[in-house]
């Protein structure tokens, strides 16, 4: 064990294991997670050499092998709980993505949620036995986040009781679905339904794309891999062009919307039910933001405790770079953010399952809020986490650029979340529509509930200039007051965006033009709302903690998270009259004090995330801190080092030298 890390752990003011239990949901949950992880990490069949030294094709081959083995091992170990399956898969894959990911995360959940009982019996049996390997084909070359603009068509033919699916344009070719290129033999295809001469909007269809047994593309199906990406080197993201593909009427997912044999259309009780799988993924992405950011923080903070550099005092030993205030300012707010996102991720998971239960009972009343909040928090957390991973990489200096650090892999694997399942700006504008409607309802006197209930409390529509004259009332150390400050900021920006929209209406030709002319204000309002929700949920978690030492350290992180957000958005708080100049200066000074307060516990706080080295897969973030020895060993495994003289010398350099 590196002596610096040993001292860091010995200086912690709280029991690390107890905080791990809190993050997992209890000691038994921790025990079971570790047990599941050990099954994967200690299985010799699931080991492989470093993927960084493989070609694109080799990485895909290894990934398919591991994905297939994972399915078998999960069955052998009788792991059935979805969360435990995820533990096992994460331990197998480390930070990589598998070709079968969409089969399990989107194809099967869509079948579960949108099939009739008869359809479930057929298709879930096939997918559970891996005879039907599926993906989710929604995005097209010409349309992504604006899914109402998708061009793929499914026209019902009552004479044969079949749907005829077509890609009528180049831009309608399905593009990006994971596992589509080479792995899947079925796809859930989102297409515009045409029946009885009318377009009924987007609906989902199960479309066979490859022959069972031979895996060759079916007639009329043009399918393949889209080529190398920024990351995702283990996944065959694909394209799909459909040319008059006929599927039986029963291949339309008909739990909610239905097409009768004669072509009569029966619409669903809510149009948002079609997007249920997307909402599920967006909700899960919030928790994924917490996971990847906590991994990046673990690597950067452990390395910063091991790395010594420069001088604080002339002639003195080089200090740990974690002792530099600038390094603390880079990393500790991100650490606080990772904890905040952990609690928000749990909230979104529980909210999704609760509202899904209500939907199954016929109650669709909370679907709009789930749709709005999952979109907004997906955007908010992925923007912050993506930027945070890159900040952690740069905080590791030059060694962070090496793939041995693990940070480049975390970044290139996670950053697509900012655009898939809805581009983030579009997601924020979707949230803004819900906030705008909620604000209008509150203004008319309706009492709101859920995460927008605060708009009812402020329905007197306090103007910033009215608030600005009040004496300061916010105590920057008071948890409740900080939550109140974020609530006031969100309300102020929502009100401001609404006023600007109505002003634009006066000199625009349409509501749509007025909305577009207010879009910047609307996105900022949505961000402020999401920021408030995160602060509120973090504060609520504090009230549940009974261990005094853990409460103290998490309270410090909460204050750091909240005050950091105030410094980054000080203009909003000043404009709304929530803080004055003097208080903003106090916030900035208090921030420095909180950095010093976090410093003794920084390593223990990342240890509490409890990532085994095999999952973290980082030379810089090793638990034992023996960074340099293992970095040297990693470098020696480079394929270029298999020979002392590379063949290119004889082919190109030696002839060049002989001619000069």
């Amino acid at each position: 064990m590196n002596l610096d890390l040993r001292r860091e752990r010995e200086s912690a003011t709280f029991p690390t294991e107890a905080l791990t239990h809190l993050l997992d949901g209890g000691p038994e949950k921790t025990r079971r997670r570790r047990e599941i992880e050990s099954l994967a990490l200690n299985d010799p069949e699931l080991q492989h050499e470093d993927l960084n030294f493989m070609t694109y094709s080799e990485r895909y081959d290894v990934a398919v092998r591991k994905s297939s083995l994972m399915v078998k091992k999960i069955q052998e170990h009788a792991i059935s709980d979805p969360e435990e399956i995820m533990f096992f898969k994460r331990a197998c894959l480390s930070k990589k993505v598998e070709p079968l990911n969409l089969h399990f995360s989107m194809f099967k959940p869509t079948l579960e949620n949108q099939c009739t009982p008869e359809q479930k019996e057929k298709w879930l049996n096939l997918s559970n036995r891996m005879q039907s390997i599926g993906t989710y084909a929604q995005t097209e070359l010409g349309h992504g986040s604006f899914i109402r603009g998708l061009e793929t068509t499914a026209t019902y033919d009552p004479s044969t009781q079949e749907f005829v699916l077509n890609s009528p344009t180049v831009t309608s070719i399905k593009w990006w679905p994971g596992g589509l290129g080479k792995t899947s033999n079925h796809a859930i295809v989102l297409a515009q339904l045409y029946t009885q001469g009318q377009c009924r909007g987007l609906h989902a269809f199960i479309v066979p794309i490859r022959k069972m047994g031979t895996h060759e593309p079916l007639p009329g199906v043009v399918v393949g891999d889209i080529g190398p990406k920024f990351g995702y080197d283990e996944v065959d993201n694909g394209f799909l062009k459909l040319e008059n593909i006929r599927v039986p009427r029963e291949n339309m997912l008909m739990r909610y919307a239905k097409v009768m044999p004669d072509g009569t259309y029966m619409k669903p009780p809510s149009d948002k039910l079609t997007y249920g799988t997307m909402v599920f993924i967006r909700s899960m992405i919030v928790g994924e933001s917490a996971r990847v950011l906590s991994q990046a923080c673990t690597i950067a903070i452990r390395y910063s405790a091991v790395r010594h550099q420069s001088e604080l005092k002339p002639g003195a030993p080089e200090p740990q770079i974690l002792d530099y205030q600038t390094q603390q300012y880079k990393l500790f707010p991100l650490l606080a953010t990772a904890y905040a996102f952990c609690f928000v991720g749990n909230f979104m998971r529980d909210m999704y399952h609760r509202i899904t239960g209500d939907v199954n009972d016929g109650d669709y009343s909370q679907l709009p809020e789930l749709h709005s909040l999952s979109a907004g928090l997906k955007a908010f957390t992925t923007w912050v986490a993506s930027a945070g991973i890159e900040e952690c990489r740069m905080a590791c200096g030059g060694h962070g650029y090496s793939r041995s650090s693990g940070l480049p892999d975390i970044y290139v694997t996670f950053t697509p979340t900012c655009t898939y399942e809805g581009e983030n700006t579009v997601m924020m504008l979707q949230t803004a529509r819900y906030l705008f409607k909620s604000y209008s309802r509150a203004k008319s006197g309706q009492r709101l509930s859920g995460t927008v209930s605060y708009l009812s409390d402020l329905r007197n529509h306090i103007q910033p200039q009215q608030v600005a004259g009040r004496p300061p009332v916010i105590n920057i150390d008071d948890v409740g007051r900080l939550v109140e400050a974020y609530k006031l900021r969100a309300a102020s920006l929502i009100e401001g965006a609404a006023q600007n929209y109505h002003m634009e209406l006066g000199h625009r030709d349409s509501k749509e033009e007025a909305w577009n002319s207010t879009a910047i204000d609307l996105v900022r309002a949505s961000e402020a709302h999401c920021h408030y929700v995160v602060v509120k949920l973090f504060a609520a978690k504090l009230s549940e903690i009974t261990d005094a030492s853990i409460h103290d350290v998490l309270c410090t992180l909460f204050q750091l998270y909240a005050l950091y957000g105030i410094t980054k958005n000080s203009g909003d708080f000043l404009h709304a009259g929530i803080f004055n100049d003097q208080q903003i200066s106090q916030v900035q000074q208090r921030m420095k004090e909180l950095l010093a307060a976090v410093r003794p516990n920084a390593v223990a706080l990342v240890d509490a995330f409890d990532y085994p080295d095999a999952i973290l897969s980082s030379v810089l973030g090793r638990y034992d801190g023996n960074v340099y020895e293992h970095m040297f060993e990693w470098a020696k495994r480079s394929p270029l080092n298999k020979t002392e003289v590379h063949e290119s010398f004889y082919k190109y350099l030696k002839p060049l030298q002989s001619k000069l």
Side-chain angles (χ1 to χ4, degrees), residues 81-351:
D81 180 83
E83 189 174 39
E84 293 185 355
I85 291 174
M86 186 59 65
F87 294 154
F88 189 87
K89 291 171 69 174
R90 284 174 177 168
C92 289
L93 299 168
S94 181
K95 297 182 289 293
K96 304 297 187 290
V97 185
E98 60 162 330
L100 291 176
N101 182 47
L102 260 68
H103 174 81
F104 293 105
S105 67
M106 297 194 77
F107 185 74
K108 286 184 64 176
T110 303
L111 297 178
E112 287 276 7
N113 293 327
Q114 297 194 35
C115 279
T116 64
E118 295 77 16
Q119 289 175 321
K120 278 187 185 181
E121 185 174 357
K122 174 183 177 179
W123 292 107
L124 280 177
N125 281 333
L126 288 171
S127 64
N128 287 335
R129 297 199 305 269
M130 300 304 292
Q131 291 179 323
S132 171
I133 300 173
T135 186
Y136 190 86
Q138 175 176 295
T139 298
E140 299 173 354
L141 260 175
H143 286 93
S145 299
F146 180 58
I147 58 177
R148 293 198 305 277
L150 295 177
E151 299 175 85
T152 304
T153 60
T155 305
Y156 184 64
D157 180 355
S159 67
T160 61
Q161 294 193 27
E162 292 175 316
F163 292 101
V164 184
L165 284 97
N166 268 299
S167 306
T169 62
V170 171
T171 50
S172 68
I173 296 172
K174 296 296 183 183
W175 202 269
W176 279 114
L180 175 62
K182 295 295 177 183
T183 308
S184 300
N185 58 21
H186 284 77
I188 290 176
V189 174
L190 271 288
Q192 303 286 357
L193 167 63
Y194 286 85
T195 180
Q196 296 181 334
Q198 294 185 47
C199 180
R200 308 292 186 173
L202 279 179
H203 291 73
F205 302 84
I206 302 173
V207 181
I209 58 174
R210 294 180 182 274
K211 295 178 184 177
M212 304 286 272
T214 68
H215 211 60
E216 295 175 351
L218 290 165
V221 173
V222 182
V223 62
D225 180 80
I226 65 170
K229 292 84 60 179
F230 186 47
Y232 274 55
D233 291 328
E234 301 77 39
V235 179
D236 54 323
N237 296 86
F239 60 78
L240 176 66
K241 186 175 187 292
L242 302 173
E243 299 173 342
N244 293 312
I245 300 300
R246 287 180 171 267
V247 299
R249 183 179 68 89
E250 292 77 14
N251 279 35
M252 174 179 155
L253 302 188
M254 292 202 204
R255 179 179 180 181
Y256 300 111
K258 303 184 192 307
V259 172
M260 308 309 289
D262 65 353
T264 301
Y265 176 70
M266 300 175 64
K267 66 179 183 180
S270 170
D271 59 355
K272 290 183 170 54
L273 291 169
T274 306
Y275 314 132
T277 303
M278 284 193 304
V279 172
F280 167 70
I281 296 297
R282 289 170 188 166
S283 300
M284 296 304 104
I285 285 174
V286 176
E288 187 67 8
S289 298
R291 190 174 73 90
V292 297
L293 185 57
S294 63
Q295 288 183 340
C297 287
T298 299
I299 294 168
I301 287 174
R302 283 180 180 168
Y303 177 63
S304 296
V306 169
R307 179 78 171 185
H308 291 250
Q309 190 161 299
S310 302
E311 295 176 342
L312 277 175
K313 298 178 181 178
E318 293 180 277
Q320 298 161 278
I321 60 174
L322 200 56
D323 287 336
Y324 289 101
Q325 189 182 70
T326 50
Q327 189 78 344
Q328 295 169 11
Y329 186 68
K330 291 175 186 176
L331 297 178
F332 293 173
L334 292 174
L335 175 61
T337 302
Y339 271 89
F341 287 1
C342 282
F343 304 136
V344 177
N346 292 339
F347 171 84
M348 282 306 302
R349 177 197 63 205
D350 295 343
M351 180 183 185

Side-chain angles (χ1 to χ4, degrees), residues 375-404:
L377 284 176
K378 178 265 184 187
F380 182 81
T381 59
T382 57
W383 266 333
V384 172
S386 183
I389 296 164
E390 178 65 355
E391 183 78 4
C392 287
R393 186 192 66 77
M394 290 189 290
C396 291
H399 290 329
Y401 189 64
S402 169
R403 295 191 81 143
S404 69

